Amino acid sequence: SDALHVWKKWETVENYTFGKNRGNLQMITDLHALHPYFRDRINQLINNCRKKGIEVAIVESYRTKAKQAEYFGMGRKYTRSAGGKSKHQYGLACDLVPIIDGVAQWDNKALWRKVGIEGEKLGLRWGGRWRTPYDPAHFEWTGGLATADLVAGMYPKPTVM
């Protein structure tokens, strides 16, 4: 397979796939688009939730600069980060949602808390702890780097644990 074009085969979803307006551009849901260490943590989070009887769906993994700009243009309830300033653009953030009977549970705070705590046990930063914006779908890992470091071209090493 041609490594330069493998991204064209990434899994994606369309707007409203999970019952919310997520803009016109497709969302990438493929975990292969994430940093290897972070991807392993997200897989473990999904498996740990499953063991507790909680189904979790991937809403968005890697995010293009164009998609981030679209969210930014949709207003502060979507993001406060302009294109190039989101951890999603570096494969270091992933949005998930718990599912019950095939329906995304965006407003079930008790269920979100269970998922969030499982992510935190794995060393992930959970957006459900944030006050503004409260973002319980969001999990991230930076390997100790700030967004400014990422923008400057630094990237966590795959072997960081």
Side-chain angles (χ1 to χ4, degrees), residues 47-159:
N47 289 333
N48 290 354
C49 287
R50 188 175 298 128
K51 288 176 189 172
K52 293 183 178 274
I54 302 169
E55 181 186 349
V56 178
I58 302 160
V59 176
E60 192 168 22
S61 58
Y62 178 81
R63 186 178 297 155
T64 64
K65 190 172 183 178
K67 183 67 178 173
Q68 186 67 28
E70 179 182 46
Y71 284 150
F72 192 70
M74 291 168 71
R76 294 174 72 83
K77 75 176 187 172
Y78 288 91
T79 188
R80 293 173 181 217
S81 300
K85 305 285 184 173
S86 168
K87 307 260 184 337
H88 284 277
Q89 271 118 49
Y90 302 94
L92 300 172
C94 188
D95 292 343
L96 308 171
V97 66
I99 304 287
I100 296 177
D101 296 328
V103 178
Q105 301 297 304
W106 292 105
D107 299 318
N108 187 333
K109 286 193 175 188
L111 189 54
W112 274 121
R113 184 164 173 73
K114 290 176 184 177
V115 175
I117 288 171
E118 288 302 313
E120 289 176 333
K121 286 179 188 175
L122 296 168
L124 303 179
R125 185 171 178 215
W126 176 46
R129 298 279 182 205
W130 304 341
R131 294 181 81 177
T132 52
Y134 172 70
D135 191 359
H138 183 90
F139 291 87
E140 66 182 38
W141 173 81
T142 63
L145 298 177
T147 302
D149 297 326
L150 299 170
V151 171
M154 296 174 71
Y155 195 68
K157 293 182 175 137
T159 57

Side-chain angles (χ1 to χ4, degrees), residues 24-36:
N24 294 322
L25 297 174
Q26 289 182 322
M27 292 159 294
I28 297 166
T29 58
D30 203 307
L31 293 183
H32 290 97
L34 299 176
H35 182 286

